[in-house]
């Protein structure tokens, strides 16, 4: 937790003079999505408030917002914890991803598309894999899908999916088999990117749908086993 708080202190500059609960929640959501706070972690008001330099009331409001997004849970007389998802949560996350991400690809219109962000996420994943950083590969994979959603140029869709991807990271933490989970999708990300580069939306959507179905099956299989073991 000490390392996470030290990193969190670096985010203090992002708050500036107009610190708000929404901006604090943005920071914490990003940290959850990047894997700094694993499921089941108790979030200390004093430590996090001190690291960010915000008041207790501001932090509590940020916690409330993230609880509403299903990223945190408040337990009476115990405090606020990063949520541990159920198998049903994971299945619902993937249903939402399939609905939104495939619709984004289907609605892209005529090529060419602005694919620099997608290409950058592919390069990020390859680089992390070469270094044996499989958690980093998982982060790059989430970046790939975030950039894919961004192709819709919709602030509302981006906002919706920010929370979904943060919840997805919670599932990845429980699975805890990062290489087996993420390595196959480096090449699949490349295939989706290449289909979009030549303007073949239909092929890209088909690849993406198969990708998400296979990923759901793999994650749920391991997740169900791990949650059962922990229980």
């Amino acid at each position: 937790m000490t390392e996470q708080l030290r990193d969190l202190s670096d985010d203090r500059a992002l708050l500036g003079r107009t610190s708000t609960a929404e901006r604090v929640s943005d920071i914490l959501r990003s940290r959850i999505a990047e894997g700094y706070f694993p499921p089941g972690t108790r979030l200390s008001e004093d430590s996090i408030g001190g690291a960010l330099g915000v008041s207790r009331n501001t932090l509590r409001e940020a916690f409330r917002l993230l609880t509403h997004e299903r990223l945190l849970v408040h337990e009476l007389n115990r405090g606020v914890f990063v949520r541990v998802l159920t198998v049903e949560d994971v299945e619902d996350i993937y249903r939402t991803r399939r609905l939104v991400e495939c619709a984004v690809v289907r609605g892209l219109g005529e090529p060419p598309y602005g694919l620099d962000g997608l290409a950058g996420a592919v390069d990020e994943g390859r680089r992390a894999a070469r270094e044996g950083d499989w958690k980093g590969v998982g982060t790059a994979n989430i970046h790939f899908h975030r950039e894919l959603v961004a192709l819709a140029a919709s602030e509302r869709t981006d906002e919706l999916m920010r929370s979904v991807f943060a919840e997805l990271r919670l599932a990845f933490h429980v699975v805890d088999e990062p290489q087996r989970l993420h390595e196959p999708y480096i090449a699949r990300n490349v295939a989706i990117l290449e289909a979009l580069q030549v303007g073949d939306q239909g092929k890209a959507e088909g690849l993406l749908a198969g990708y998400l179905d296979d990923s759901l099956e793999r994650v749920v299989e391991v997740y169900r086993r791990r949650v059962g073991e922990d229980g």
Side-chain angles (χ1 to χ4, degrees), residues 83-174:
R83 189 159 171 249
V84 178
L85 304 182
T86 64
V87 170
E88 291 73 22
D89 289 325
V90 176
E91 292 172 337
D92 194 36
I93 286 168
Y94 273 88
R95 275 195 297 270
T96 302
R97 293 186 65 195
R98 205 180 195 282
L99 283 169
V100 174
E101 294 186 45
C102 289
V104 167
V105 173
R106 196 179 315 125
L108 282 177
E110 293 298 318
Y113 313 120
L115 302 175
D116 288 349
L118 278 183
V122 165
D123 289 342
E124 178 188 353
R126 285 169 161 169
R127 186 165 54 249
R130 285 196 299 270
E131 296 170 355
D133 178 9
W134 299 108
K135 179 180 173 182
V137 172
T139 297
N141 192 40
I142 288 177
H143 289 168
F144 178 88
H145 289 274
R146 192 170 65 197
E147 293 292 343
L148 184 72
V149 169
L151 294 175
S154 165
E155 291 184 8
R156 290 171 179 82
T157 306
D158 289 344
E159 183 177 351
L160 166 68
M161 295 305 291
R162 269 197 299 271
S163 295
V164 171
F165 290 138
E167 283 191 272
L168 183 64
R169 171 63 82 175
L170 298 183
F172 288 169
H173 263 292
V174 173

Side-chain angles (χ1 to χ4, degrees), residues 52-113:
L52 290 175
V54 298
S55 70
R56 187 180 296 267
N57 285 340
T58 296
L59 189 60
R60 285 178 176 174
E61 176 63 12
F63 284 171
R64 187 190 69 77
L65 292 170
L66 294 177
T67 299
H68 181 69
E69 294 180 16
R70 298 177 300 278
L71 295 177
L72 303 181
V73 61
H74 181 268
E75 297 186 12
L76 190 63
N77 299 323
R78 293 193 64 218
V80 175
F81 295 80
V82 179
R83 189 159 171 249
V84 178
L85 304 182
T86 64
V87 170
E88 291 73 22
D89 289 325
V90 176
E91 292 172 337
D92 194 36
I93 286 168
Y94 273 88
R95 275 195 297 270
T96 302
R97 293 186 65 195
R98 205 180 195 282
L99 283 169
V100 174
E101 294 186 45
C102 289
V104 167
V105 173
R106 196 179 315 125
L108 282 177
E110 293 298 318
Y113 313 120

